[in-house]
Amino acid sequence: MLTINIKNDFSAYPGLRHCNLSDNSGEHFYHELLNKKFKEAYEKNDRLTVILDGTDGYAPSFIDEAFGNLIYDYSLDIVKKYLIIISTEEPIWIQALEKDTYPKWEERRKGGMNPIVTMEHEPWFRFVNGSIEQNQWEKPRN
Amino acid sequence: MGETKELICILSSSDWIQVSAILVNVGLTIWIVIVLQNKLTNRRSLKDYVIEEIKGFRQEYRIFFNNLCSNKAQSQTVLSWFKLMNIQITDLMEIVDKQYNIDKNTLAPFQNDLRKLITENEDFIKCFKHTHIKFSAVSQSSIIKFQQQNYHLFNKMIVLINKSK
C-alpha cells in the first residue's frame, strides 16, 4: 500500500492555501507529492493512504486546496475508490473533506471552474476522457 | 441467654413478619447509604470534573481572544493551539455525549468555525510569515462578533450537565 505521511514526507508545519501566501502550502503539497502518488496508486490499482497526524496543525484552507485539487484532477468517484485518509488526532478533517471539500470541488470540476495556481508547477496528472494525461494544466495568473 | 430463648419462643408469626420487615428496611437503608450515595457522589464528582474542564476551555479561549485583539498572538503558534484545543475538546465531548447525552458537536463553532474565521482572515494570511499577527479594526470586530454569538455555549453546556441525571 502506498502511503504519504505528511509530517515525514512533506512538513511538520503545513502552511496555508497557496504558495504565494506561505511556505508548505496546500497547493505545494498537492503538486509536489499528492498528485504524483495518487497517479501511482491508480495505475497500480492500489490505495493511497495519507496520514494527517503528527504535524503542528492544519489550516482548513491547506486541507481544502490539497484534496480539492485531487478531486478536480481525478473526480470524486476515483478519489473515493483509491484514497484513504487517516486522521486519528483530529477526525474532524475527514468529516470536513467529505461534507465540504469533496462536493464543492466536484461541482467545480463539473462546472469547469479551473483551480488557481500561484506559481509554476511541473506538468501534473489529470484524468481526462478515461485516461491519465500529463500537462501543465494551469499557469499562474498575473 | 435464657431470656433471649424465651423471647424467641413468645414471638408469634406476625411478630416474625415485623422483625423481618425491620431487618429488610435496615438492609435497604444501609444499601442506600453506602451504594447509592457512593454512586451519587461519583456522579457529582464526574460532573464537577467535566464542568471544571469546560471552564478551563472557556478561560483558554478568553486568553486567546485577548491575545488576538491585542495583537499578541504569534502566527506560528496559532495552528498548533487550535489543534491542541480541538483534541482536548473532542476527548471531553465524547464523555459528555456518553454520560449526559449532550450533543458532542455543541462546541463545534469553537472547533471549526473559529479556526476557519481566523486562518482565512486577510490580516492573518498577510502576517502568517511574520511573528506577530496584527488584526485590523474590521477583523477585530468579526472576532468580537464571533465571541458574542458563541460564548454562551460554554454556559449552556454547564447548565445541561448540571440538569442531567
Side-chain angles (χ1 to χ4, degrees):
Chain A
M1 186 187 276
L2 294 164
T3 303
I4 297 175
N5 182 320
I6 295 187
K7 185 194 171 191
N8 299 337
D9 303 330
F10 180 65
S11 171
Y13 307 98
L16 303 179
R17 185 181 293 277
H18 287 126
C19 298
N20 64 345
L21 304 176
S22 75
D23 296 334
N24 307 322
S25 65
E27 178 191 344
H28 185 203
F29 169 67
Y30 179 68
H31 288 278
E32 184 82 10
L33 265 179
L34 187 57
N35 178 274
K36 295 173 191 140
K37 277 274 185 188
F38 189 82
K39 181 238 180 196
E40 206 181 321
Y42 177 82
E43 285 183 339
K44 287 180 177 170
N45 197 22
D46 197 353
R47 298 186 92 179
L48 172 66
T49 302
V50 179
I51 301 167
L52 302 183
D53 295 330
T55 69
D56 215 32
Y58 296 94
S61 54
F62 174 97
I63 300 278
D64 185 69
E65 189 66 21
F67 294 96
N69 267 290
L70 193 67
I71 296 285
Y72 193 93
D73 284 336
Y74 289 95
S75 84
L76 182 59
D77 288 342
I78 292 177
V79 170
K80 277 192 166 176
K81 195 173 169 189
Y82 291 95
L83 182 74
I84 297 169
I85 294 176
I86 294 185
S87 183
T88 45
E89 291 174 344
E90 291 192 278
I92 214 145
W93 293 127
I94 295 172
Q95 293 163 27
L97 283 168
E98 285 173 357
K99 274 176 68 178
D100 186 29
T101 299
Y102 289 172
K104 189 178 76 188
W105 280 78
E106 178 67 359
E107 273 301 300
R108 193 169 167 168
R109 188 182 71 81
K110 285 177 179 167
M113 222 179 108
N114 295 1
I116 294 166
V117 295
T118 61
M119 63 174 278
E120 292 265 346
H121 296 289
E122 282 178 18
W124 68 95
F125 302 103
R126 182 173 284 178
F127 192 78
V128 184
N129 299 325
S131 65
I132 290 179
E133 291 179 17
Q134 189 176 22
N135 200 347
Q136 195 175 38
W137 301 99
E138 319 290 340
K139 291 204 169 169
R141 295 170 198 170
N142 294 322
Chain B
M1 191 65 185
E3 284 174 0
T4 314
K5 271 186 183 173
E6 277 175 25
L7 185 67
I8 290 169
C9 294
I10 292 166
L11 289 176
S12 65
S13 58
S14 65
D15 292 333
W16 277 114
I17 291 170
Q18 280 183 358
V19 169
S20 317
I22 289 166
L23 289 175
V24 168
N25 277 337
V26 169
L28 203 62
T29 310
I30 292 169
W31 181 75
I32 286 170
V33 169
I34 295 173
V35 179
L36 278 188
Q37 190 59 44
N38 272 350
K39 273 191 182 171
L40 288 175
T41 310
N42 287 345
R43 225 175 262 174
R44 188 63 245 174
S45 300
L46 182 62
K47 275 187 183 180
D48 289 342
Y49 167 76
V50 172
I51 288 169
E52 279 309 308
E53 288 288 298
I54 292 167
K55 284 180 184 171
F57 293 150
R58 188 172 59 184
Q59 183 62 11
E60 287 282 338
Y61 277 101
R62 189 170 287 155
I63 295 166
F64 179 69
F65 286 128
N66 284 342
N67 285 342
L68 286 182
C69 290
S70 55
N71 298 328
K72 284 180 191 162
Q74 296 192 321
S75 50
Q76 290 89 345
T77 58
V78 167
L79 293 181
S80 58
W81 185 86
F82 273 124
K83 178 178 177 177
L84 186 67
M85 289 304 290
N86 196 19
I87 291 171
Q88 289 178 346
I89 291 179
T90 304
D91 280 351
L92 192 78
M93 294 310 282
E94 287 293 332
I95 297 172
V96 168
D97 181 26
K98 277 183 195 152
Q99 293 288 329
Y100 311 117
N101 205 19
I102 295 170
D103 182 8
K104 63 180 171 189
N105 294 316
T106 306
L107 294 179
F110 285 91
Q111 294 179 274
N112 309 330
D113 305 352
L114 180 63
R115 177 152 52 182
K116 208 168 178 180
L117 178 78
I118 301 297
T119 61
E120 291 182 11
N121 176 282
E122 210 175 289
D123 298 323
F124 179 85
I125 292 169
K126 256 191 254 167
C127 300
F128 189 74
K129 288 179 179 173
H130 311 291
T131 316
H132 284 91
I133 311 157
K134 279 188 182 172
F135 283 105
S136 65
V138 177
S139 301
Q140 287 192 15
S141 95
S142 70
I143 294 166
I144 291 166
K145 194 176 166 193
F146 176 89
Q147 287 183 73
Q148 287 168 343
Q149 287 173 341
N150 296 290
Y151 226 71
H152 71 280
L153 293 172
F154 292 108
N155 289 338
K156 181 185 166 188
M157 282 206 40
I158 292 171
V159 170
L160 287 172
I161 290 165
N162 271 321
K163 273 187 178 173
S164 67
K165 286 179 185 173

